[in-house]
Amino acid sequence: MKASQFYINTLKEAPADAEVVSHQLMTRAGMIKKLGAGVYTYMPMGLRVIRKVEAIVREEMNRAGAVECVMPVVQPGELWSESGRFQTMGPELLRVKDRHERDFVIQPTSEEAVTDIARQDLRSYKQLPKNLYQIQTKFRDERRPRFGLMRGREFVMKDAYSFDRDEAGAKASYQAMAKAYRAIFDRFGLTYRAVSADSGAIGGDLSEEFQVIASTGEDAIVYSTGSDYAANMEKAEALAPAGPRPAATQALTRTPTPGKSTCADVAELLQLPLTQTVKSLVLATDELNEQGEIVKSQVWLLLLRGDHDMNEIKVSKVPGLDKGFRFATVPEILAHFGTKPGYLGPIGLKQPVKLVADREVALMADWVCGANEEDLHLTGVNWGRDLPEPDLVVDIRNVVAGDAAPDGKGQLAIERGIEIGHIFYLGTKYSVAMNATFLAEDGKPRHFEMGCYGIGITRLPAAAIEQNHDERGIIWPDALAPFTVVICPVGMDRSEAVKAAAEALYADLLAAGVDVILDDRGERPGAMFADWELIGVPHRVTIGDKSLKEGQVEYQHRRDGEATKVPAGDIAAFVKGRLLA
Amino acid sequence: MKASQFYINTLKEAPADAEVVSHQLMTRAGMIKKLGAGVYTYMPMGLRVIRKVEAIVREEMNRAGAVECVMPVVQPGELWSESGRFQTMGPELLRVKDRHERDFVIQPTSEEAVTDIARQDLRSYKQLPKNLYQIQTKFRDERRPRFGLMRGREFVMKDAYSFDRDEAGAKASYQAMAKAYRAIFDRFGLTYRAVSADSGAIGGDLSEEFQVIASTGEDAIVYSTGSDYAANMEKAEALAPAGPRPAATQALTRTPTPGKSTCADVAELLQLPLTQTVKSLVLATDELNEQGEIVKSQVWLLLLRGDHDMNEIKVSKVPGLDKGFRFATVPEILAHFGTKPGYLGPIGLKQPVKLVADREVALMADWVCGANEEDLHLTGVNWGRDLPEPDLVVDIRNVVAGDAAPDGKGQLAIERGIEIGHIFYLGTKYSVAMNATFLAEDGKPRHFEMGCYGIGITRLPAAAIEQNHDERGIIWPDALAPFTVVICPVGMDRSEAVKAAAEALYADLLAAGVDVILDDRGERPGAMFADWELIGVPHRVTIGDKSLKEGQVEYQHRRDGEATKVPAGDIAAFVKGRLLA
């Protein structure tokens, strides 16, 4: 490609709404252009990156035996009612009515569409397993779209769906995808982790996220310093501390704490470590009648160490809370504790509550908690002596750095990540809902065992930039760069020698299949270099009249501090060598 | 590709709603699957065809200097209000409201989006010309979607938009696209015509359609047997007949025609040729005040020869009718003619009308028309003698086969076509509406001169099938086939020799870059051949145990009546030779 034939439009300034570096740099490099909130045009320079992502994903999906199709963007609401998602999904599902007032949705994923295909086409176990994937436009009507391609409303996703005859087959399909995903992300040249994830609303019980490591990532991911263990924060288990519980050494004491309603404030006032304090969280569950009216409510008190945070996913799996819970109302709190939040605790209740202690709290001695009276806490609290043992002892907290790894090997560390892939074992969630069956070997209909597997095609370049940039711009890994090599002739219009050398190198690299661009725009060197550093092309060759007269040209990798002089005759071989490295 | 690794699902029966052969065959061949009305999944076999279309289109667009981008499917209504299309387009524009109740549209084309890009990016004449294109999902909410991919609601289109500094530049861009389109359709191996078209509502004054010739086509296309002239029916000009008007030979006579209200009936009753009759069409135009209320209406009488049809596009360009017209109401007709439609004519009016004669009618003598009395016609009507000359003489009819070609060379012939491409010179229609300007050489802002250029990517395979099929299925041109060659081993599971020969040929063709599929499914020969004939793979090699023992395999082109025996050792070279042919 010659730059004069291409579409290059770099900007000095990022738009005011670009909060993250990938959004800033992709906009400044002319890779994306905002058309509306969360809706971007993939400009020629950006589209080249996206096409490289697509090509690698496609190759590895095909290699793993998946078959490509393309499902519609606009899908009938009827089908989405079969799975129930038309009703259960929130406003992030963009709903449309056509001219006949029929319901449609703009697909955010395609479980319904692909299950509808399977129940028509895959009639016998002999046709299984099958894995259908597409690389297609999706829409999710985010309440607050931002961060450019990181959290757009319209985006491109690769979504694959596997159909198997039984659970073992489905898990094998899942593992094949896990392997393909590693191959894909390895090829991109990104630093990433595959982490165990909670499978959440999508169902199933086996799920991994692929996270690109970046300090700006939205997700906290947890890994062990002593093993392969890795999980996202929602999923990472906090082990019970080594027991037994220490013996009580202090007497239970009512301690004035005027105006100190947080554990941190209380610990500071009493000059105790925060780890000695216990925080009280009050939840409630409701029993409904057939009309959906609340007939009975139960209040729950959850105890967590003062320095720990509640993990909502874990709480949602506690027996009794697993059918749904809510935070208690102020009247409920007053009725059970006799005081306002800030001074709550498990001792001296007006009405009984279900008492849930985090594993850590259950093994504490001489702890501090609210006294259920305003401006008053209890110190020297001890289980058994001052209050009965809790009803339940469970893991309900987020892990923190330094916790023991759940596999017993090493300690947990935490870093930030950007989710670019997610694989799920779905089981029969969709096939049962949509009555999608095949004839099994015994001649009886059986529901498909399914899995689904996503990669954020347009999010991936943004994640790559969050991981790979400097103050001058983007630094693409070779596999993702819009162009792998840029040739920058200086004074091409004034020097025939420069022009000839640039054209010769361009022709040589092109013939070798290198994705090279020759900057023949006639820009001044400073502007030209700034453009390519912003755009992030990894390999640059500069050809200038003066050094050419000395038989030299300059090579500089985007990460190099300075250029390397290379004999003009060797430059093509030199560049190819750098690409192989 | 091995068939066992692919997704093949052929059907014996076409769905009941498949009215045209391409819809029937694409469904039966497992290329598309209906998800909803006018909304189809491109199944793996069909997607391969679509990808081949895309690849050729992309290559030729790039070669012509256009640059690829991808604009959003979901576009802000605000932008569409700038061009006015949000208001003026009918219900075929799918409108959506997002969670914040903001208007969006699902793009049917992208003039607004690309003009928005140009007015931000293309600031100087030095950046022009530019041509941006995309291959992207579109939606048009057809009232009655049908014919499968021929008239779907969701479809894929290649749409390109050129930006030039002046009209001469824009016309050069237009001609470059016309050339690229010919290169594209030539490569597809289809029989097509480029025909002049009316540029219609999209504006501008230069437009060509690319029509795939097929007897099932929806469009009538007109060409000259004696020159390159070709146009669509809307556009094709009907020349004035050679004058002068013959002299009158008959007296004006009131002739009873009870119950004969059509020209055909009258001609039959009176035993006159239909070409001697004249039909009367009554239109009206309205003058509106600022409140949009009708303040004055004008009735128009259009006269056409009895065997001719009115051409609405031509009528819409007649001076006085070019601001919009409607058919006259029955009260208007009664007030002006004194009788009901069926017996109308230009003689003996109650109130004056604007009289428009088709060029043909203006030169007729001794003609027949309604007498403005029920069950009565006039014969022997002559201009000048029986009624004044018409107010306007214009071309307002569709041409018919045998008409003289407008370029004076040869006669017109008519055939059916399917529109697969359309190119328009737009002028400044969108750039003025959206105030999209660049700085011209004189330092002053000037509106972009634009063109737009579409190809129906997903419609093209359907058009190719309408042109290329037989009773057994599809017959793909090599360039469009999902696979170019299929190897059909017979009894591969029983014969090691067959398996080895099939695998060897497969490996050889694959290494030569041939898009080959090996049918290793173990189907019986009849079912296997029927599948591939239905799917339409152009080149088939059959390897059977018996003939292999005689050192022979069979080659058959999809159009061949029978197979050709080829020595087993020569088959790879033989097949490659057929591909080059």
Side-chain angles (χ1 to χ4, degrees):
Chain A
M1 180 68 70
K2 294 194 177 178
S4 60
Q5 302 298 308
F6 196 56
Y7 190 104
I8 298 172
N9 199 57
T10 55
L11 302 174
K12 290 258 180 299
E13 302 288 334
D17 69 343
E19 300 170 51
V20 297
V21 71
S22 57
H23 187 187
Q24 291 161 1
L25 292 177
M26 289 192 91
T27 305
R28 287 188 51 212
M31 297 197 172
I32 58 174
K33 190 172 287 292
K34 185 176 173 177
L35 191 73
V39 171
Y40 294 86
T41 293
Y42 311 131
M43 296 298 290
M45 191 68 79
L47 185 61
R48 289 183 73 91
V49 177
I50 292 168
R51 293 281 188 242
K52 294 201 176 177
V53 176
E54 288 178 358
I56 288 178
V57 168
R58 186 172 280 129
E59 261 183 51
E60 296 296 334
M61 291 302 292
N62 292 348
R63 195 193 307 273
V67 187
E68 190 175 6
C69 66
V70 170
M71 290 175 266
V73 172
V74 180
Q75 302 189 349
E78 221 173 10
L79 205 61
W80 280 66
S81 289
E82 284 193 57
S83 73
R85 288 211 292 173
F86 192 81
Q87 289 73 28
T88 57
M89 276 190 77
E92 71 274 15
L93 179 64
L94 189 62
R95 294 162 172 90
V96 198
K97 282 192 189 289
D98 76 356
R99 66 193 292 155
H100 303 298
E101 291 292 310
R102 286 195 212 100
D103 285 314
F104 282 81
V105 306
I106 310 298
Q107 65 150 355
T109 59
S110 276
E111 282 82 357
E112 288 79 3
V114 78
T115 305
D116 184 55
I117 290 169
R119 69 183 170 183
Q120 293 176 64
D121 273 10
L122 305 178
R123 292 170 301 256
S124 157
Y125 69 94
K126 291 178 198 159
Q127 293 169 278
L128 302 179
K130 275 283 177 276
N131 186 329
L132 280 169
Y133 77 96
Q134 63 176 345
I135 295 175
Q136 171 71 315
T137 303
K138 305 284 189 301
F139 200 92
R140 198 171 292 161
D141 197 0
E142 297 277 355
R143 198 176 58 79
R144 198 186 152 202
R146 51 184 181 158
F147 303 157
L149 298 196
M150 197 80 88
R151 192 182 282 188
R153 295 203 284 180
E154 185 169 319
F155 55 98
V156 176
M157 190 163 108
K158 186 284 299 173
D159 41 332
Y161 305 90
S162 63
F163 295 88
D164 275 275
R165 56 166 100 172
D166 54 25
E167 188 178 327
K171 289 192 170 168
S173 292
Y174 175 95
Q175 294 304 343
M177 282 294 107
K179 191 176 157 220
Y181 273 42
R182 286 179 188 277
I184 289 167
F185 298 122
D186 284 347
R187 285 182 66 184
F188 288 140
L190 298 174
T191 305
Y192 70 95
R193 279 185 196 278
V195 306
S196 285
D198 187 77
S199 48
I202 210 158
D205 63 3
L206 188 59
S207 167
E208 272 158 283
E209 288 170 1
F210 291 78
Q211 295 266 0
V212 167
I213 305 306
S215 59
T216 51
E218 281 194 288
D219 296 339
I221 61 181
V222 178
Y223 64 98
S224 168
T225 55
S227 75
D228 284 342
Y229 178 83
N232 66 10
M233 183 54 85
E234 293 175 344
K235 172 92 172 180
E237 186 183 358
L239 289 185
R245 183 193 293 158
T249 65
Q250 300 175 7
L252 181 69
T253 310
R254 288 163 56 87
T255 308
T257 51
K260 306 298 181 190
S261 62
T262 68
C263 286
D265 287 349
V266 171
E268 193 190 358
L269 175 74
L270 306 180
Q271 296 195 299
L272 290 170
L274 188 55
T275 54
Q276 204 62 27
T277 64
V278 166
K279 67 173 105 174
S280 295
L281 296 165
V282 190
L283 305 181
T285 52
D286 299 318
E287 219 171 276
L288 305 181
N289 65 13
E290 283 182 6
Q291 285 71 48
E293 298 154 347
I294 300 176
V295 291
K296 201 176 150 190
S297 294
Q298 168 70 52
V299 168
W300 298 64
L301 175 59
L302 273 55
L303 298 182
L304 285 157
R305 207 170 73 183
D307 60 327
H308 285 158
D309 289 324
M310 181 177 102
N311 181 310
E312 206 169 312
I313 296 292
K314 291 177 180 176
V315 170
S316 73
K317 293 183 172 174
V318 170
L321 294 172
D322 53 352
K323 302 278 182 290
F325 64 86
R326 58 178 172 82
F327 283 96
T329 62
V330 170
E332 283 171 332
I333 292 174
L334 287 174
H336 287 75
F337 298 85
T339 187
K340 290 186 305 186
Y343 300 94
L344 306 183
I347 296 174
L349 300 172
K350 306 278 178 203
Q351 290 183 43
V353 300
K354 276 274 215 184
L355 187 59
V356 180
D358 181 62
R359 285 171 172 171
E360 194 79 35
V361 173
L363 290 182
M364 285 169 70
D366 302 330
W367 37 283
V368 179
C369 65
N372 291 324
E373 284 180 43
E374 201 164 341
D375 295 339
L376 201 69
H377 277 77
L378 299 174
T379 58
V381 182
N382 282 280
W383 291 107
R385 185 190 74 183
D386 306 324
L387 76 167
E389 295 291 333
D391 296 312
L392 285 169
V393 176
V394 280
D395 172 22
I396 51 173
R397 70 170 173 96
N398 285 337
V399 297
V400 292
D403 280 346
D407 61 2
K409 298 173 196 158
Q411 289 188 326
L412 294 182
I414 295 172
E415 59 191 351
R416 310 298 301 179
I418 299 164
E419 185 189 341
I420 47 167
H422 204 155
I423 59 177
F424 291 95
Y425 162 58
L426 286 173
T428 57
K429 178 181 161 83
Y430 287 91
S431 58
V432 167
M434 297 181 63
N435 197 27
T437 61
F438 63 96
L439 284 183
E441 258 183 294
D442 59 10
K444 290 182 184 147
R446 179 176 296 178
H447 291 108
F448 294 104
E449 283 276 339
M450 292 172 58
C452 72
Y453 317 96
I455 292 178
I457 298 288
T458 44
R459 181 184 242 199
L460 197 135
I465 292 170
E466 293 292 334
Q467 189 178 81
N468 299 282
H469 65 271
D470 63 14
E471 68 293 346
R472 288 171 293 153
I474 302 167
I475 308 173
W476 291 110
D478 282 16
L480 292 174
F483 297 96
T484 321
V485 178
V486 59
I487 302 171
C488 293
V490 177
M492 188 170 173
D493 49 340
R494 295 186 307 272
S495 160
E496 275 304 318
V498 167
K499 187 172 192 313
E503 294 274 7
L505 177 60
Y506 175 67
D508 186 328
L509 293 176
L510 214 56
V514 176
D515 197 2
V516 58
I517 185 163
L518 169 61
D519 192 344
D520 60 347
R521 294 176 298 164
E523 295 281 340
R524 294 158 56 91
M528 179 162 59
F529 298 155
D531 271 356
W532 295 110
E533 285 174 349
L534 174 59
I535 292 165
V537 171
H539 306 274
R540 186 176 85 202
V541 176
T542 306
I543 303 178
D545 206 22
K546 198 176 137 200
S547 53
L548 197 60
K549 277 177 187 152
E550 295 157 11
Q552 305 265 319
V553 299
E554 288 184 350
Y555 167 87
Q556 186 166 4
H557 188 275
R558 180 64 181 77
R559 290 195 188 275
D560 292 346
E562 53 189 50
T564 306
K565 298 236 177 206
V566 179
D570 300 343
I571 185 65
F574 182 91
V575 169
K576 289 175 206 165
R578 290 300 304 251
L579 301 185
L580 293 173
Chain B
M1 180 67 71
K2 293 194 177 179
S4 61
Q5 302 298 310
F6 196 56
Y7 189 105
I8 298 172
N9 198 57
T10 56
L11 301 173
K12 289 258 180 300
E13 303 288 335
D17 69 343
E19 299 171 50
V20 297
V21 71
S22 58
H23 187 186
Q24 291 161 2
L25 291 177
M26 290 192 91
T27 306
R28 286 187 52 212
M31 295 195 174
I32 58 173
K33 190 172 288 290
K34 185 176 173 176
L35 190 73
V39 171
Y40 294 87
T41 293
Y42 311 131
M43 296 296 291
M45 191 69 79
L47 185 60
R48 289 183 74 91
V49 177
I50 292 167
R51 293 282 188 241
K52 294 201 175 178
V53 175
E54 289 178 356
I56 288 178
V57 168
R58 186 172 281 129
E59 262 182 49
E60 296 297 334
M61 291 302 293
N62 292 348
R63 194 192 309 274
V67 187
E68 191 175 4
C69 66
V70 170
M71 290 175 264
V73 173
V74 179
Q75 302 189 350
E78 220 173 10
L79 205 62
W80 281 65
S81 289
E82 284 193 57
S83 73
R85 289 210 294 172
F86 192 82
Q87 290 73 29
T88 56
M89 276 190 77
E92 70 275 15
L93 178 64
L94 190 60
R95 295 162 171 89
V96 197
K97 282 192 190 290
D98 76 355
R99 65 193 293 156
H100 303 298
E101 292 292 310
R102 286 195 211 98
D103 285 314
F104 282 80
V105 307
I106 310 298
Q107 64 149 355
T109 59
S110 276
E111 281 82 357
E112 288 79 2
V114 78
T115 305
D116 184 55
I117 290 168
R119 69 182 170 184
Q120 293 177 65
D121 273 10
L122 305 178
R123 291 171 301 257
S124 157
Y125 70 94
K126 291 179 198 158
Q127 293 169 278
L128 302 179
K130 275 282 177 275
N131 186 330
L132 280 169
Y133 77 97
Q134 64 175 344
I135 296 177
Q136 171 70 316
T137 303
K138 305 284 188 302
F139 200 92
R140 198 171 293 161
D141 197 1
E142 297 277 356
R143 199 176 58 78
R144 197 185 153 203
R146 53 186 179 154
F147 304 156
L149 297 196
M150 198 79 87
R151 191 182 284 189
R153 296 203 283 180
E154 185 169 317
F155 54 98
V156 177
M157 189 162 111
K158 186 284 299 174
D159 42 330
Y161 305 89
S162 63
F163 294 87
D164 276 275
R165 56 166 100 172
D166 55 26
E167 187 177 329
K171 289 191 169 168
S173 293
Y174 175 95
Q175 294 305 341
M177 282 294 107
K179 189 175 158 221
Y181 272 43
R182 286 178 188 277
I184 289 167
F185 299 123
D186 284 346
R187 285 182 65 183
F188 288 140
L190 298 175
T191 304
Y192 70 94
R193 279 186 197 279
V195 306
S196 287
D198 187 77
S199 48
I202 210 159
D205 63 3
L206 188 59
S207 165
E208 272 159 283
E209 288 170 0
F210 291 78
Q211 295 267 0
V212 167
I213 305 307
S215 57
T216 52
E218 282 194 286
D219 296 340
I221 61 181
V222 178
Y223 65 97
S224 167
T225 55
S227 75
D228 284 343
Y229 178 83
N232 66 9
M233 183 55 84
E234 293 174 344
K235 172 94 173 179
E237 186 184 359
L239 289 186
R245 184 192 292 157
T249 66
Q250 300 174 10
L252 182 70
T253 309
R254 289 162 56 87
T255 309
T257 51
K260 307 297 182 191
S261 62
T262 68
C263 286
D265 288 349
V266 170
E268 194 190 356
L269 175 74
L270 305 181
Q271 296 195 300
L272 289 171
L274 187 56
T275 53
Q276 205 61 26
T277 64
V278 167
K279 66 172 104 172
S280 296
L281 296 165
V282 190
L283 304 180
T285 51
D286 300 316
E287 219 172 275
L288 305 181
N289 64 13
E290 281 184 5
Q291 284 72 48
E293 299 154 347
I294 299 175
V295 291
K296 199 175 151 193
S297 294
Q298 168 71 50
V299 168
W300 298 64
L301 175 59
L302 272 56
L303 299 182
L304 284 158
R305 206 169 74 183
D307 61 326
H308 285 159
D309 290 323
M310 180 178 105
N311 181 312
E312 207 169 311
I313 296 292
K314 292 178 180 177
V315 170
S316 73
K317 295 186 172 174
V318 171
L321 294 171
D322 54 352
K323 300 279 183 287
F325 63 86
R326 57 179 172 83
F327 284 96
T329 63
V330 170
E332 283 171 331
I333 292 175
L334 287 173
H336 287 75
F337 298 86
T339 187
K340 291 184 306 186
Y343 302 92
L344 305 183
I347 296 174
L349 299 171
K350 305 279 178 205
Q351 291 183 43
V353 299
K354 276 275 213 184
L355 187 59
V356 180
D358 181 62
R359 286 170 172 171
E360 193 78 37
V361 172
L363 290 183
M364 285 168 69
D366 301 332
W367 38 285
V368 179
C369 65
N372 291 324
E373 284 181 43
E374 201 164 342
D375 296 339
L376 200 70
H377 277 77
L378 299 175
T379 58
V381 182
N382 282 280
W383 291 108
R385 184 189 75 184
D386 306 325
L387 77 167
E389 295 292 333
D391 296 312
L392 286 168
V393 175
V394 281
D395 173 22
I396 52 172
R397 69 169 173 97
N398 285 336
V399 298
V400 293
D403 279 348
D407 61 1
K409 297 173 195 157
Q411 290 188 326
L412 294 182
I414 295 171
E415 59 191 350
R416 310 297 302 178
I418 300 164
E419 184 189 341
I420 47 166
H422 204 154
I423 60 178
F424 291 95
Y425 163 58
L426 286 172
T428 57
K429 178 182 162 81
Y430 287 92
S431 57
V432 166
M434 296 180 63
N435 197 26
T437 62
F438 62 96
L439 285 183
E441 260 183 293
D442 58 9
K444 290 183 185 149
R446 179 175 296 178
H447 291 107
F448 295 104
E449 282 277 339
M450 292 172 57
C452 72
Y453 317 96
I455 291 179
I457 299 286
T458 44
R459 182 183 240 198
L460 197 135
I465 292 171
E466 293 292 334
Q467 188 178 80
N468 298 281
H469 65 272
D470 63 16
E471 68 293 345
R472 288 172 294 153
I474 303 166
I475 308 173
W476 290 110
D478 283 16
L480 292 175
F483 297 96
T484 321
V485 178
V486 58
I487 302 170
C488 293
V490 176
M492 186 169 174
D493 48 341
R494 294 185 309 271
S495 161
E496 276 303 319
V498 167
K499 187 170 191 316
E503 294 275 8
L505 176 60
Y506 175 67
D508 186 328
L509 293 176
L510 214 55
V514 176
D515 196 3
V516 57
I517 185 164
L518 169 61
D519 191 345
D520 59 348
R521 294 176 298 164
E523 294 282 337
R524 295 159 55 91
M528 179 162 58
F529 297 155
D531 271 357
W532 294 111
E533 286 174 350
L534 174 59
I535 292 164
V537 171
H539 306 273
R540 186 176 85 202
V541 177
T542 305
I543 302 177
D545 205 23
K546 203 177 136 200
S547 53
L548 196 59
K549 277 177 185 149
E550 295 157 10
Q552 306 265 316
V553 299
E554 288 184 349
Y555 167 86
Q556 186 165 3
H557 189 275
R558 180 65 181 77
R559 291 195 189 275
D560 291 347
E562 53 188 48
T564 306
K565 299 237 178 206
V566 178
D570 301 344
I571 185 65
F574 182 91
V575 169
K576 289 175 207 163
R578 289 301 303 252
L579 301 185
L580 293 173

